[in-house]
């Protein structure tokens, strides 16, 4: 079903016939009776790289010449008495698991956001209002697929099996943090779960993800790459390079754009004037769909279908997931400076969690008592992990000098040795009791 609504460059087997139909539609208006001439003249050579027709009417094309791409969804905003189509049935355990993970992400966000406000961690970014995109898409993937995320895909890693304590250790940057405290909070990564470590510079993950997808193509691996990014990141030059490389090299990659309305403080209408990000896909030769990102089931089935087609056809697919960022961009941002509280309150009535919970209640899989128990249980487990991570020691200070080179070069060793002498001399001025004791890093 969903495969039919992926927008492609050619709908018909006869591409020329389709082009002729589109041009006839485009040029048939009340202001002109000019006939299209020289259409597909067999005597004329074909221009390289395009399929074209000829006309003697001078007319510029703009977005008003085309219909807006539709938005695919399954659950409507009223979320009452809705039954899934027969071909979109999901196992009841999966339906419940999806809700469980959405609630877990939401509660963890609240706890870690407040902990930053209390000065217990240095930074945080919430996912509030975007849980549907993350959990819905992640549920449709396998652990063989490699994820390149931006910085609002915590739910994807949560679904893949990253533990709550691992999230907490990373945000605290303690010695149990896999990145040894060298990353900002929320810059997660997991080699075991095929989740490439997040980096702060915007859009760098897009061309990197295409490179991984190309490697999959060369190795004929039965998997694909999934690359998440925001609509603001699509304004960067790296996005163009990634889309074009993916299309021309025919790489098995799924681009998932979170269009949440704001690139930090810049609203989407100030970022672009075209039909969103989805309109760019066909122009690059990428099959594309626009999805209601606040509908977790729509995200699941769109991603599932995209993955099947991506691996089957060995080509890229683009999903523009429409949503709304309810929280601030980060703990360094106050979004009420550039948007009204009325706007935020309005979208709070249409959150993916609310819509999905009402759907589960309507089919008898959930009730208010179960919801209270789930929220209480998840909150307690997160607070326990939070308290445990907070007690852990910081990494040894010598970790400042590790993990750049396999064998520490002489100039780095000299710097570490110089700092060691400094700390030995002035140890009483440093809270060394908060740091893990030194390991042997004296190998040159």
């Amino acid at each position: 079903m969903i495969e039919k609504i992926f927008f492609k460059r050619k709908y018909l087997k006869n591409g020329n016939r389709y082009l002729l139909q589109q041009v006839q539609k485009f040029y048939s208006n009340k202001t002109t009776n000019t006939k299209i001439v020289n259409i597909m003249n067999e005597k004329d050579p074909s221009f390289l790289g395009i399929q074209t027709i000829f006309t003697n009417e001078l007319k510029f094309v703009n977005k008003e010449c085309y219909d807006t791409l539709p938005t695919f969804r399954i659950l409507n905003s009223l979320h009452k008495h809705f039954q899934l189509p027969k071909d979109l049935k999901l196992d009841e355990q999966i339906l419940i698991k999806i809700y469980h993970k959405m609630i877990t992400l939401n509660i963890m966000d609240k706890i870690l956001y407040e902990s930053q406000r209390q000065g217990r961690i240095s930074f945080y970014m919430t996912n509030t209002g975007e849980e549907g995109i993350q959990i819905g898409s992640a549920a449709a993937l396998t652990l063989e697929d490699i994820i390149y995320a931006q910085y609002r895909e915590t739910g994807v890693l949560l679904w893949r099996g990253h533990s709550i304590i691992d999230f907490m250790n990373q945000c605290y940057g303690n010695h149990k943090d896999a990145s040894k405290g060298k990353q900002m909070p929320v810059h997660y990564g997991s080699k075991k779960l095929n989740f490439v470590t997040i980096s702060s510079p915007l859009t760098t993950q897009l061309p990197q993800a295409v490179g991984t997808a190309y490697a999959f193509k060369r190795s004929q691996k039965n998997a694909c790459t999934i690359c998440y990014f925001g609509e603001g990141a699509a304004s960067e030059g790296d996005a163009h390079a990634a889309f074009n490389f993916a299309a021309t090299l025919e790489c098995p990659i799924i681009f998932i754009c979170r269009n949440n309305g704001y690139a930090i403080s810049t609203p989407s209408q100030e970022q672009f004037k075209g039909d969103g990000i989805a309109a760019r896909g066909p122009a690059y030769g990428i099959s594309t769909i626009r999805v209601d990102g606040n509908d977790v089931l729509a995200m699941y089935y769109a991603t599932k279908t995209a993955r099947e087609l991506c691996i089957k056809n060995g080509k890229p697919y683009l999903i523009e997931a429409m949503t709304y960022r309810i929280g601030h961009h980060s703990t360094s941002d106050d979004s009420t400076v550039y948007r009204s509280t009325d706007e935020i309150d309005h979208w709070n009535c249409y959150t993916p969690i609310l819509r999905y919970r009402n759907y589960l209640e309507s089919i008898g899989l959930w009730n208010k008592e179960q919801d209270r128990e789930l929220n209480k249980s998840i909150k307690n487990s997160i607070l326990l992990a939070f308290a445990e991570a907070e007690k852990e020691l910081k990494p040894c200070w010598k970790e400042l000098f590790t993990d750049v080179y396999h064998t520490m070069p002489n100039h780095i060793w000299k710097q570490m040795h110089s700092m060691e002498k400094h700390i030995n001399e002035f140890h009483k001025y440093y809270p060394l009791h908060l740091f893990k004791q030194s390991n042997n890093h004296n190998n040159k």
Side-chain angles (χ1 to χ4, degrees):
M1 182 188 80
I2 303 176
E3 179 177 353
K4 296 178 181 178
I5 62 175
F6 270 90
F7 186 89
K8 302 179 181 180
R9 294 171 67 182
K10 293 185 289 184
Y11 284 109
L12 308 177
K13 291 182 179 178
N14 187 332
N16 292 342
R17 183 157 61 89
Y18 170 66
L19 281 166
L20 178 56
Q21 291 172 348
Q22 291 297 300
V23 173
Q24 286 173 334
K25 177 183 177 182
F26 173 64
Y27 283 104
S28 58
N29 55 56
K30 297 179 181 179
T31 62
T32 179
N33 292 318
T34 305
K35 294 182 179 180
I36 301 171
V37 296
N38 296 329
I39 298 176
M40 300 308 295
N41 190 329
E42 294 294 336
K43 296 179 181 179
D44 289 317
S46 297
F47 293 111
L48 299 180
I50 64 169
Q51 290 180 315
T52 189
I53 55 88
F54 296 91
T55 177
N56 61 1
E57 181 180 4
L58 178 63
K59 187 169 183 178
F60 289 92
V61 178
N62 55 40
K63 66 176 183 179
E64 281 72 31
C65 299
Y66 303 93
D67 293 333
T68 299
L69 269 67
T71 302
F72 171 71
R73 74 175 181 184
I74 296 173
L75 303 177
N76 60 42
S77 298
L78 298 177
H79 25 255
K80 295 293 183 181
H81 311 296
F82 186 87
Q83 292 293 330
L84 288 178
K86 290 183 179 179
D87 60 339
L88 297 182
K89 290 293 183 182
L90 260 179
D91 181 86
E92 289 185 359
Q93 289 184 335
I94 297 297
L95 290 173
I96 297 298
K97 181 181 177 181
I98 286 173
Y99 185 67
H100 186 283
K101 295 299 183 182
M102 292 172 76
I103 294 296
T104 301
L105 178 60
N106 185 261
I107 294 176
M108 185 170 71
D109 269 352
K110 292 175 181 176
I111 291 173
L112 287 172
Y113 180 86
E114 290 303 320
S115 73
Q116 192 281 333
R117 288 297 187 237
Q118 296 166 7
R120 299 163 89 168
I121 62 175
S122 61
F123 178 81
Y124 195 70
M125 301 181 80
T126 65
N127 306 272
T128 313
E130 301 180 38
E131 299 91 348
I133 293 175
Q134 300 177 35
I135 303 300
S137 62
L141 305 173
T142 73
L143 286 178
E144 292 298 309
D145 303 318
I146 291 187
I147 307 295
Y148 281 81
Q150 193 162 313
Y151 39 58
R152 220 180 294 277
E153 278 76 41
T154 304
V156 177
L157 190 53
L158 178 67
W159 179 273
R160 292 172 83 83
H162 207 60
S163 68
I164 298 299
I165 188 62
D166 284 337
F167 284 115
M168 296 297 168
N169 287 336
Q170 198 283 327
C171 286
Y172 268 101
N174 60 40
H175 74 97
K176 290 187 176 180
D177 169 25
S179 59
K180 304 178 183 179
K182 297 177 183 180
Q183 286 274 27
M184 287 178 65
V186 307
H187 288 52
Y188 309 112
S190 173
K191 185 176 182 179
K192 178 179 70 173
L193 300 175
N194 270 336
F195 191 97
V196 178
T197 303
I198 295 165
S199 58
S200 289
L202 205 61
T203 326
T204 55
Q205 78 274 20
L206 268 76
Q208 295 167 1
V210 175
T212 298
Y214 186 65
F216 277 178
K217 176 183 178 178
R218 294 292 299 269
S219 64
Q220 298 183 330
K221 189 172 183 179
N222 189 35
C224 64
T225 304
I226 296 83
C227 183
Y228 294 86
F229 61 101
E231 85 286 348
S235 297
E236 294 283 340
D238 277 350
H240 160 75
F243 294 150
N244 204 43
F245 273 127
T248 56
L249 297 175
E250 296 187 340
C251 300
I253 182 172
I254 303 172
F255 295 104
I256 299 181
C257 174
R258 292 176 292 95
N259 190 339
N260 63 20
Y262 290 92
I264 307 182
S265 60
T266 305
S268 57
Q269 60 266 28
E270 293 181 16
Q271 295 178 64
F272 46 78
K273 294 299 181 183
D275 183 21
I277 306 303
R280 304 181 192 182
Y284 282 102
I286 299 175
S287 296
T288 301
I289 188 171
R290 176 175 285 151
V291 181
D292 182 350
N294 287 353
D295 179 350
V296 67
L297 294 182
M299 278 303 305
Y300 171 80
Y301 285 108
T303 308
K304 182 175 182 291
T305 303
R307 184 183 183 275
E308 292 170 355
L309 294 171
C310 183
I311 294 175
K312 175 184 175 182
N313 301 327
K315 293 182 179 180
Y317 285 78
L318 169 62
I319 298 174
E320 181 182 23
M322 307 303 297
T323 185
Y324 184 82
R325 193 196 78 211
I326 290 177
H328 305 297
H329 173 73
S330 71
T331 49
S332 302
D333 174 49
D334 178 7
S335 65
T336 59
V337 172
Y338 52 84
R339 61 179 179 175
S340 69
T341 54
D342 289 340
E343 178 182 306
I344 301 171
D345 291 342
H346 171 75
W347 280 99
N348 258 315
C349 299
Y350 299 94
T351 65
I353 288 179
L354 178 62
R355 188 188 298 190
Y356 188 56
R357 180 172 70 234
N358 285 338
Y359 164 69
L360 293 179
E361 290 176 353
S362 73
I363 61 173
L365 280 183
W366 205 247
N367 58 51
K368 292 181 179 178
E369 181 59 30
Q370 286 175 299
D371 207 58
R372 281 193 292 269
E373 288 299 317
L374 178 66
N375 276 265
K376 181 180 178 180
S377 172
I378 291 175
K379 183 177 181 179
N380 287 339
S381 64
I382 293 175
L383 286 173
L384 283 173
F386 177 85
E388 183 180 336
E390 194 171 35
K391 294 176 183 177
E392 295 290 348
L393 295 174
K394 297 296 182 184
C396 173
W397 62 265
K398 287 188 176 181
E399 296 292 356
L400 285 168
F401 303 93
T402 64
D403 298 328
V404 176
Y405 300 94
H406 181 267
T407 301
M408 189 179 294
N410 192 54
H411 71 284
I412 299 295
W413 184 86
K414 285 181 178 179
Q415 292 175 27
M416 185 179 71
H417 184 63
S418 175
M419 186 169 177
E420 186 172 30
K421 289 173 61 179
H422 173 83
I423 288 176
N424 288 337
E425 184 177 355
F426 300 103
H427 61 88
K428 64 180 181 181
Y429 297 102
Y430 294 99
L432 297 177
H433 65 285
L434 299 178
F435 291 78
K436 191 171 176 61
Q437 289 187 357
S438 172
N439 294 320
N440 183 18
H441 292 295
N442 291 326
N443 57 316
K444 289 196 280 184

